[in-house]
Amino acid sequence: MPLRITIDIFTGRSNPVLELSGKEASEALERLRPARPVTRQEAAAPFEAALGYRGLLIEQIGTLARGLPRFFRVFDGRLFGARLAHRATDEEFEEFVVRRAGQLNVGKGFADYLRQEIARARRNYAGLLLWKPPHWSGKSHCHCAPLYEPLWWNDGWGGQKQPNNNCYNYATNYRSDTFAQPGRAAGAMYTSLTCASVRPAAIADSLIDAPTANNKCPKEGHLVALVIAPGWDFHWYRKGRNGYWSHKPGSTPVVNIDGSGNLIPDPRTANRGPYTDFCTFMVVMHGHIKIN
Amino acid sequence: MATLRSIERTASAGKREAWTAGASVFSGRPDPVWEVKPSLGARLEKIWLSLKPEKIEPPPSPALGYRGCFLRGPLGRQWFAFGGVVELRSSRRSEFRRDPSKKFERVLLESAPEGLLPPWLNE
């Protein structure tokens, strides 16, 4: 019953794979035998979208060991898979793998790096178990607003979406891959980096000015906000379905925090760095606008 | 006499040898990009070579405002500098070096044409 153990740690490179057979595989399976089920509090699966160490992916080749599915994940001494959410008999199984990291052709010092990464990921995971989701006020829900789905936009520097779509694309939820500029599609692009110039340019793209929106969701469409770094640049935010705001600073990834690392309940009070002028709220009617 | 092939070769060699720089600073407008003279490219490469390789990561950059600057050199090499850390990215790997005096970043930003970069870079 050979085992293929993929160390899920890299993002750009291929993950290292350790193959065990014979006595080593039997020993590993003995250590992985499910012990007690995890408690409800421990049952949160590891965060698979995280950067860095995310666990060991185990694949059993051939006959399956009793109580273990063909594929499962080991993280922090816990086993996660089909009908599997248990502690491993050996809760230090990951160290068993680290000791064999020398067999992998990954580079000098990988065992130390892996050990450090496992410790870091465990600390993060412990924090995740204690994390309580913020209370989304029922009153501020915006049913027509776009979903906050950063992974759709954040396809990396080498991708098509992230580098070619800016804050205006993201706020209007309109992918043009052209780093859209207010007014350009309508032949009425802004002429200066001021509120007085960018606002009418956006209106020319069929955004609806809503200066009195006061952070309230519209009945139709979704709310966006325009801010200006006077003389230099403009920036847009969009209000999400949960009532909080998110944004895409230039060609960098979509985020839902401000310059102080806080969630954004209101862009007027967020840390906006050099974008000191709050210009206006606007409404984007889905399907009505055209930007480029 | 220049043949079509030699012109193409010269053009592509020129392209390969070109040095460009830029700053990640804007959100709505495209980020500023400027050409760098080969002599300055060589000087920046020298600064890079004088820095010590370390297992470090760049400090987190703010969402809005100045987020770092880059230098693109021949053979697809690209340096990214922010907060006292310089990274060399090539098609195969990344390497980080600490630059406590931020010399690489400073020299690179100083090469930008006047008026191209916003004043908040110095804040």
Side-chain angles (χ1 to χ4, degrees):
Chain A
M1 48 188 79
L3 281 183
R4 185 176 291 134
I5 302 175
T6 304
I7 303 171
D8 191 11
I9 187 167
F10 292 139
T11 306
R13 300 167 64 182
S14 302
N15 281 320
V17 177
L18 180 68
E19 296 198 340
L20 302 180
S21 56
K23 277 186 182 171
E24 268 194 322
S26 302
E27 185 187 345
L29 285 167
E30 185 54 34
R31 289 170 184 265
L32 287 168
R33 200 157 39 82
R36 69 166 174 80
V38 296
T39 62
R40 181 183 284 243
Q41 202 202 1
E42 295 167 334
F47 188 47
E48 291 177 27
L51 291 177
Y53 177 71
R54 297 171 290 271
L56 305 172
L57 306 175
I58 315 283
E59 180 185 357
Q60 297 194 71
I61 298 161
T63 317
L64 299 186
R66 205 172 156 190
L68 290 171
R70 184 163 303 281
F71 298 96
F72 58 99
R73 185 182 288 266
V74 179
F75 182 86
D76 192 20
R78 301 173 177 87
L79 313 171
F80 298 95
R83 287 189 285 279
L84 182 69
H86 291 70
R87 286 188 167 274
T89 297
D90 175 10
E91 294 191 11
E92 294 302 321
F93 179 78
E94 283 144 307
E95 180 58 30
F96 172 84
V97 172
V98 171
R99 287 199 298 270
R100 281 153 185 79
Q103 300 173 23
L104 301 164
N105 189 20
V106 186
K108 231 177 165 183
F110 178 69
D112 288 341
Y113 174 68
L114 177 59
R115 196 172 275 123
Q116 283 168 23
E117 264 299 297
I118 290 172
R120 187 197 57 78
R122 283 182 173 186
R123 285 195 302 274
N124 281 5
Y125 184 68
L128 179 71
L129 294 178
L130 296 172
W131 183 77
K132 287 196 171 71
H135 173 68
W136 309 121
S137 160
K139 279 183 184 172
S140 64
H141 280 198
C142 302
H143 297 292
C144 295
L147 283 171
Y148 177 61
E149 42 183 3
L151 293 179
W152 189 84
W153 294 89
N154 300 346
D155 58 356
W157 294 102
Q160 186 66 20
K161 288 177 267 186
Q162 185 184 309
N164 298 314
N165 292 281
N166 63 1
C167 54
Y168 192 42
N169 289 106
Y170 177 71
T172 55
N173 206 24
Y174 191 117
R175 174 189 171 185
S176 68
D177 291 349
T178 60
F179 224 73
Q181 300 295 300
R184 188 161 66 189
M189 198 168 127
Y190 60 87
T191 52
S192 67
L193 273 314
T194 59
C195 181
S197 185
V198 180
R199 180 177 8 202
I203 292 170
D205 287 338
S206 295
L207 278 76
I208 300 166
D209 199 12
T212 58
N214 196 24
N215 200 15
K216 300 273 192 313
C217 300
K219 283 185 182 155
E220 299 293 338
H222 73 270
L223 202 61
V224 297
L226 169 62
V227 298
I228 301 282
W232 287 100
D233 197 18
F234 60 86
H235 182 61
W236 293 84
Y237 296 85
R238 84 180 192 197
K239 186 161 181 157
R241 210 169 281 189
N242 60 8
Y244 282 75
W245 293 75
S246 57
H247 57 146
K248 183 175 186 302
S251 52
T252 69
V254 167
V255 290
N256 63 351
I257 52 173
D258 70 1
S260 303
N262 297 320
L263 290 170
I264 307 169
D266 188 334
R268 291 174 297 189
T269 53
N271 178 344
R272 305 194 303 265
Y275 298 79
T276 49
D277 285 4
F278 183 88
C279 182
T280 188
F281 291 109
M282 286 190 163
V283 172
V284 174
M285 292 293 285
H286 307 154
H288 289 199
I289 66 157
K290 187 174 183 186
I291 66 171
N292 183 16
Chain B
M1 193 178 85
T3 62
L4 182 60
R5 186 164 290 182
S6 73
I7 290 168
E8 278 173 355
R9 205 164 37 229
T10 310
S12 85
K15 206 173 175 185
R16 230 178 19 244
E17 294 305 316
W19 293 84
T20 52
S24 177
V25 66
F26 293 141
S27 176
R29 298 167 63 191
D31 282 324
V33 176
W34 63 97
E35 273 188 35
V36 167
K37 285 183 183 162
S39 57
L40 180 63
R43 186 181 162 206
L44 286 160
E45 199 167 10
K46 227 177 203 176
I47 296 173
W48 161 257
L49 290 171
S50 72
L51 305 176
K52 263 191 177 172
E54 272 190 58
K55 274 188 183 174
I56 40 169
E57 293 209 359
S61 54
L64 292 177
Y66 175 64
R67 299 177 288 267
C69 57
F70 69 82
L71 172 71
R72 279 197 201 111
L75 308 172
R77 290 173 306 161
Q78 181 165 314
W79 288 263
F80 186 82
F82 180 71
V85 176
V86 185
E87 178 190 5
L88 171 60
R89 299 170 184 167
S90 62
S91 53
R92 288 188 180 171
R93 64 197 188 105
S94 260
E95 184 181 340
F96 293 93
R97 297 189 180 183
R98 198 180 294 282
D99 181 13
S101 64
K102 299 186 185 177
K103 190 173 176 186
F104 187 98
E105 194 173 356
R106 194 164 29 82
V107 171
L108 183 56
L109 291 173
E110 280 171 2
S111 72
E114 208 180 324
L116 189 68
L117 300 177
W120 66 69
L121 259 73
N122 301 320
E123 286 166 10

